[in-house]
Amino acid sequence: MDAVVGGGGLLLLPALLVAAPGVPVATALGTNKLAAIFGTSTAAVTYARRTKLDWGVAGPAAGLAVLTAGLGAALAGAVPGSAYRPVVLVVLVAVAVFVLARPSLGVVSSSRRTPRRVVVAVAVAGLGIALYDGLIGPGTGTFLVLAFTAILGSDFVHASAMAKVVNAGTNLGALVVFGLTGHVWWALGAAMAVCNVVGAAVGARMALRRGAGFVRVVLLVVVLALVVRLGYDQWVAG
């Protein structure tokens, strides 16, 4: 799922918090980053081998994201375990409405790439979304895909390719900070990383083979399902 449209952390992070009640949010985030960096890197390499990447956007954004996500990770300990759900819920609902209201978004490339839009895309991805990834994390890949699609007019496949490169940068920056501060379960994260590599390779190939229309459908299904899941966790399960 993460290799196709992002959002793997929206499943993995709650699973870690449920499986280990009382675990510090920073430790759950750090363990997630260890697994995720292998998955995002595998997906990025798979996309790069099979499609044309806009390195003029993905490269600077990824480099900036390493530093910004590291800053977010340094602040992550201040966020309580229940804080991320309402924030992610609001953003996900906005994403679903945005995509549903624009049926052609991301299905066909509309080529709105200008120097100004490139700067905006790099800033949004490398600063705003990267800070969010280090601080909270879940849904980063999905937000990157939407950012590149909305700002640059990329189709979902090429947006996903760029998103994986930037997401690898955010994961690296956050992982370094979490590792240095002792907030990583290395054995568990390494085991999950093996599964992430396999899943990312399969997901990236599936997105490339089936195209932007398939990615759009998966994106909507994932976003809506996660809204229901997080809404249940927030108001029913507590």
Side-chain angles (χ1 to χ4, degrees):
M1 184 189 84
D2 195 71
V4 176
V5 295
L10 281 164
L11 295 178
L12 184 54
L13 183 58
L16 285 168
L17 293 171
V18 170
V23 62
V25 173
T27 302
L29 288 169
T31 305
N32 176 44
K33 294 305 176 192
L34 175 58
I37 192 171
F38 285 90
T40 52
S41 298
T42 299
V45 170
T46 302
Y47 278 118
R49 287 177 175 174
R50 302 192 177 202
T51 191
K52 185 176 180 180
L53 271 171
D54 189 343
W55 287 106
V57 175
L64 191 58
V66 173
L67 300 177
T68 311
L71 173 62
L75 302 173
V79 180
S82 59
Y84 81 92
R85 285 198 298 259
V87 176
V88 175
L89 266 170
V90 171
V91 176
L92 283 173
V93 170
V95 166
V97 171
F98 183 68
V99 175
L100 286 169
R102 303 181 63 181
S104 63
L105 179 73
V107 176
V108 179
S109 176
S110 58
S111 186
R112 296 194 299 273
R113 191 186 193 283
T114 64
R116 181 179 178 181
R117 285 181 177 270
V118 167
V119 172
V120 172
V122 170
V124 169
L127 292 175
I129 298 177
L131 180 64
Y132 165 84
D133 190 34
L135 184 63
I136 303 175
T140 295
T142 304
F143 302 148
L144 287 169
V145 170
L146 265 295
F148 292 137
T149 302
I151 297 170
L152 299 176
S154 305
D155 63 73
F156 279 132
V157 171
H158 288 86
S160 293
M162 288 190 288
K164 290 304 107 183
V165 174
V166 179
N167 209 175
T170 65
N171 286 333
L172 175 60
L175 178 60
V176 169
V177 173
F178 285 129
L180 290 175
T181 54
H183 286 295
V184 179
W185 286 340
W186 294 101
L188 177 59
M192 293 192 298
V194 174
C195 298
N196 258 254
V197 168
V198 176
V202 172
R205 286 179 172 84
M206 186 180 298
L208 288 165
R209 184 172 64 252
R210 299 193 178 185
F214 167 75
V215 176
R216 183 179 190 274
V217 171
V218 174
L219 175 68
L220 282 171
V221 170
V222 168
V223 168
L224 293 174
L226 290 170
V227 166
V228 173
R229 164 64 187 273
L230 290 175
Y232 175 85
D233 289 343
Q234 180 69 19
W235 291 297
V236 180

